[in-house]
Amino acid sequence: MSRTRISLIPLALSLSVVLTACVGLSTVPAKDIVPEDTGEQAFGDLTISSTALDFGDVAEGETSSRSLTLENTGDLTVAISDLTLDGSSAFTVTTTLLNDIEPGATQVIDLLFAPEDLGEHNATLTLVTDAPGAESVEISLSG
């Protein structure tokens, strides 16, 4: 009797393989097999209060602030792995972020707009999480 080794490599967030064993002339389905130690994980849902924040007209030397709320509406923890701010340096994040948002919890991101010169300022806040559908979310900032 020969043996064949089967390696299971997860290519998606969840993986189950159904093996079918042939015995004589009949086919017997085997149970679902989930590979061990693959790092597979289910993720919670993430609700973001807005995908665009307008800070309005702000005079030189003045400031304007806005808040963005992230809410985990799922049953599992949502991990925040990165937050970047690209564009005008007039925008800053003033909140110390949590790495994880527990189920039912919220995280508020406070932003400050402090233009040093007149004119339109734009930036993009990018949030990277492990929540399906919200792996990389971009929030437009203007003022």
Side-chain angles (χ1 to χ4, degrees):
M1 178 181 200
S2 66
R3 291 184 142 183
T4 303
R5 183 180 186 112
I6 299 174
S7 295
L8 301 176
I9 301 171
L11 299 175
L13 292 176
S14 66
L15 169 69
S16 72
V17 177
V18 177
L19 298 178
T20 304
C22 295
V23 179
L25 297 174
S26 62
T27 302
V28 180
K31 67 178 184 176
D32 283 357
I33 297 172
V34 178
E36 294 182 31
D37 300 320
T38 62
E40 290 181 37
Q41 196 174 14
F43 303 106
D45 297 326
L46 185 66
T47 301
I48 301 172
S49 61
S50 179
T51 57
L53 295 176
D54 185 353
F55 290 76
D57 294 330
V58 178
E60 281 182 71
E62 299 294 319
T63 63
S64 178
S65 61
R66 298 284 183 270
S67 294
L68 185 68
T69 303
L70 311 175
E71 181 181 8
N72 181 351
T73 58
D75 296 327
L76 301 170
T77 300
V78 171
I80 300 171
S81 59
D82 196 17
L83 183 134
T84 57
L85 188 57
D86 294 314
S88 173
S89 62
F91 298 96
T92 55
V93 176
T94 60
T95 302
T96 301
L97 293 176
L98 303 174
N99 290 334
D100 296 328
I101 304 174
E102 299 297 324
T106 59
Q107 165 73 59
V108 176
I109 299 173
D110 293 318
L111 298 138
L112 184 68
F113 175 54
E116 294 180 5
D117 54 355
L118 295 176
E120 182 76 16
H121 295 269
N122 296 293
T124 301
L125 178 70
T126 303
L127 183 67
V128 179
T129 77
D130 63 0
E135 291 89 355
S136 180
V137 178
E138 292 185 349
I139 296 97
S140 299
L141 308 177
S142 61

